[in-house]
Amino acid sequence: MSTAFDRYEEPSPWSTASDAFGPGDPELTRRQLLLASSGVLAAAGLSPVPAAAAAGSGRAEPTAAVRLRVNGRPVELEVDLRQSLLDVLREKLALTGTKKGCNQGACGACTVLLDGRRINACLTLAAMHDGAEITTVEGLAQGEQLHPLQAAFIEHEGFQCGYCTAGQLMSGVACIREGHAGSADEVRAWMSGNICRCGAYPGIVEAIVEVGKERSS
């Protein structure tokens, strides 16, 4: 059986470049590294835009134009090729509901939906997702009407400090949609990538199971 860790399958292109030569390879030259990095960017359909940034400073900052649809709204912006999706959401779009926790893909606080699939936004580069549909916690409610899982979190007291709540909600929405919310044990297994186990955790599990059963009936 697959686990919730399956969402982490997307590798970092920066580590892929060095992996092509093997870690610590004494024969790796700067030229080889640059060539490998260029190959990764080309594979991702990206092309650095150094000219404008280079003017004046003498230093090229690689950027790319990216079009996204975030919470149903079209967005077009220029991003640094090195920026994670998490940082673009928080720093360029002011969608701070998605939290930065470990910044290493271990805590799940930055979980968002990318084309309907849950991912850790800290582990992927924004420039790789031109044309993608992104849903953050700000996109769950419809005006004043809460998403059923948000309402269930309140009913089951699934909040405590709230720092992990956004990631738990987004992962919970995906867990239900994937059909993995049939029991508390199943929810705990498929939500294992969201590691917070504070006093609110039993309520979080109960809320996901409840909404999952409602959606399947």
Side-chain angles (χ1 to χ4, degrees):
M1 182 178 74
S2 300
T3 73
F5 287 102
D6 288 347
R7 83 189 72 159
Y8 305 131
E9 66 186 51
E10 187 171 77
S12 162
W14 307 115
S15 60
T16 302
S18 58
D19 289 347
F21 298 97
D25 188 339
E27 300 301 321
L28 177 63
T29 65
R30 183 171 182 274
R31 176 178 171 79
Q32 286 173 318
L33 181 60
L34 291 172
L35 286 172
S37 299
S38 299
V40 170
L41 293 176
L46 304 175
S47 57
V49 186
S57 67
R59 189 176 162 191
E61 296 293 341
T63 64
V66 176
R67 290 165 299 176
L68 302 171
R69 192 167 183 84
V70 182
N71 298 330
R73 186 168 62 92
V75 174
E76 191 166 343
L77 65 169
E78 195 83 6
V79 299
D80 188 311
L81 293 181
R82 300 160 296 186
Q83 274 190 301
S84 69
L85 178 60
L86 171 62
D87 286 341
V88 168
L89 290 172
R90 289 180 56 85
E91 296 170 12
K92 283 187 171 286
L93 300 178
L95 294 171
T96 54
T98 303
K99 297 296 186 285
K100 179 180 279 190
C102 66
N103 210 28
Q104 298 179 44
C107 73
C110 65
T111 304
V112 300
L113 303 184
L114 173 71
D115 293 331
R117 183 168 174 240
R118 52 180 161 165
I119 64 161
N120 284 339
C122 73
L123 287 184
T124 191
L125 299 175
M128 297 173 66
H129 301 293
D130 186 35
E133 178 95 24
I134 310 290
T135 305
T136 70
V137 70
E138 290 92 344
L140 289 185
Q142 300 296 316
E144 297 297 318
Q145 184 176 357
L146 294 177
H147 185 281
L149 189 57
Q150 290 175 309
F153 265 47
I154 294 173
E155 182 182 346
H156 291 277
E157 299 183 346
F159 297 103
Q160 200 172 54
C161 78
Y163 198 83
C164 70
T165 304
Q168 297 272 15
L169 277 166
M170 300 311 296
S171 198
V173 167
C175 187
I176 293 167
R177 189 178 296 169
E178 294 160 6
H180 299 308
S183 69
D185 285 344
E186 188 177 19
V187 167
R188 281 191 285 267
W190 286 88
M191 294 281 293
S192 60
N194 296 75
I195 65 170
C196 181
R197 296 294 181 269
C198 70
Y201 189 67
I204 291 172
V205 174
E206 289 172 7
I208 295 171
V209 171
E210 179 183 278
V211 176
K213 287 180 177 175
E214 290 173 358
R215 291 295 171 98
S216 63
S217 62

